[in-house]
Amino acid sequence: MSSAETPSEVDLLIVGAGPTGLFAGYYAGFRELTTAVVDSLPEPGGQVTAMYPEKKIFDVAGFPVVLGRDLVASLVEQADQFKPTYLLGRRARTLSEVDGKFDVGLEDGTVVRTGAVLITAGMGEFTPRPLPAGDGWLDRGVVNFVPELEALRDQDVVIVGGGDSAFDWALSLHPIARSVTLVHRRNKFRAFAATVRQVRELGVPIITDAQVVELRGDSAGRLAEVELDVKDEAEPVVLPAQTVVAALGFTADLGPIESWGLEITRRAVAVDSTMRTARERIYAAGDIAAYPGKVKLIATGFGEAATAVNNIAVALNPEAHLFPGHSSDVS
């Protein structure tokens, strides 16, 4: 992976180094475009690396199951065939058009000139929703995600939430933790029905219509138990817990991208069928791209990245062919 000095000019600047951005880096190289990838996080992989490196992913074509960190490593290896430059730990802040190209200013003051921009920034800058009763316990027993499953081996774990992440953590932690209990404030879940069924079949206790009202520590100040207020229960329910995973979702902010003159719809960037935004030579792909019928999946992002890069190649060179040929034809 190349992390050389900031290039003064590239054909394509990719904003976001998650799975979609990494695949776009590969595909841009395949189309013989010089490429740089910028991301505010210090490592490639975006949300997958930051939040779910140990999460099992089941919906990437060709992989019956793949860990998040292994998928990211493979994407980096794939892109490295064409040596994109990674500008990590730096946020793209400003964008201005100069002499038919774009100057993108990074937060460290450097500027990259580029012929086109592809935004693959996921849901933008994300902030975990806090557990109200967990004030003061963050990183002292309360976590928002689990970078290393082994860190919770033989612990009593309480997972709070009813979405995909909550149930995914339950599946992943069940074989490792001493006990896993899932707590949700409602009796309906936002998670995929198949995942809910798997968790139930494993025998993981699921307590619904419940709120965490207090976290208590032991004599050493380490988290020891969680008190719940459960509907129709006369007395509070107390669970042992050395870790609480607050899987309550995230609030997202597009940050400086909102000032780039794009059409923003529901915290996403509107695109057409070529993945072009409201501005010429600025494209978007992955979760940040919005169009009718959009389905937010990693697999969807891969296809959108290829569509965007092929159209960018033509936008930069009108004599180029939209269809690049098959990668299997390239030695």
Side-chain angles (χ1 to χ4, degrees):
M1 187 176 74
S2 173
S3 57
E5 294 183 4
T6 308
S8 59
E9 185 168 340
V10 292
D11 295 323
L12 174 62
L13 182 69
I14 299 170
V15 180
T20 297
L22 293 173
F23 185 67
Y26 156 75
Y27 213 94
F30 176 59
R31 289 306 307 253
E32 299 186 323
L33 303 177
T34 58
T35 307
V37 184
V38 63
D39 199 297
S40 61
L41 296 174
E43 297 179 71
Q47 297 167 34
V48 173
T49 294
M51 298 188 292
Y52 312 122
E54 296 279 357
K55 180 178 177 180
K56 293 179 179 178
I57 299 172
F58 297 95
D59 55 5
V60 175
F63 292 93
V65 59
V66 59
L67 291 179
R69 57 177 167 79
D70 293 338
L71 176 63
V72 169
S74 294
L75 286 164
V76 169
E77 181 181 358
Q78 183 182 33
D80 278 355
Q81 298 175 72
F82 300 107
K83 296 180 173 53
T85 298
Y86 292 92
L87 307 173
L88 302 177
R90 289 186 263 184
R91 183 179 286 106
R93 300 203 65 86
T94 62
L95 180 142
S96 55
E97 192 165 357
V98 180
D99 297 330
K101 295 191 175 183
F102 296 107
D103 284 349
V104 178
L106 309 185
E107 65 181 352
D108 64 357
T110 59
V111 176
V112 180
R113 173 159 288 195
T114 180
V117 175
L118 173 56
I119 304 169
T120 57
M123 59 182 183
E125 300 172 10
F126 52 90
T127 303
R129 290 192 175 95
L131 178 67
D135 189 33
W137 286 98
L138 188 63
D139 296 327
R140 294 179 52 237
V142 174
V143 298
N144 298 115
F145 37 85
V146 186
E148 296 182 12
L149 296 176
E150 279 295 325
L152 273 60
R153 180 170 290 279
D154 298 328
Q155 290 193 18
D156 300 300
V157 181
V158 173
I159 301 170
V160 184
D164 291 316
S165 294
F167 280 87
D168 286 341
W169 289 129
L171 284 178
S172 299
L173 289 168
H174 178 264
I176 292 173
R178 178 166 51 226
S179 70
V180 176
T181 305
L182 194 144
V183 176
H184 186 41
R185 61 187 175 85
R186 302 171 57 204
N187 61 6
K188 294 183 179 180
F189 308 109
R190 302 183 309 279
F192 288 119
T195 310
V196 176
R197 184 178 65 252
Q198 285 180 279
V199 171
R200 290 190 187 278
E201 289 173 350
L202 285 173
V204 173
I206 300 175
I207 303 175
T208 59
D209 293 315
Q211 298 274 6
V212 176
V213 293
E214 187 179 358
L215 278 64
R216 292 192 284 265
D218 58 18
S219 58
R222 296 170 299 202
L223 182 63
E225 58 186 27
V226 174
E227 181 177 312
L228 309 178
D229 179 15
V230 183
K231 183 180 179 182
D232 298 330
E233 293 284 347
E235 299 292 330
V237 173
V238 178
L239 303 173
Q242 293 78 55
T243 297
V244 171
V245 181
L248 301 172
F250 299 85
T251 57
D253 182 0
L254 296 184
I257 291 172
E258 290 197 78
S259 66
W260 289 5
L262 310 176
E263 181 184 345
I264 307 296
T265 174
R266 296 184 179 180
R267 296 194 303 276
V269 178
V271 298
D272 63 16
S273 60
T274 70
M275 310 311 298
R276 203 198 87 173
T277 70
R279 295 186 65 174
E280 290 187 11
R281 292 177 290 109
I282 300 181
Y283 292 70
D287 285 357
I288 201 166
Y291 51 83
K294 168 75 177 222
V295 178
K296 293 186 176 182
L297 293 171
I298 291 176
T300 306
F302 291 158
E304 292 171 353
T307 296
V309 171
N310 282 317
N311 282 279
I312 287 168
V314 175
L316 294 176
N317 177 13
E319 295 182 1
H321 294 289
L322 178 63
F323 178 62
H326 299 290
S327 59
S328 55
D329 296 333
V330 179
S331 59

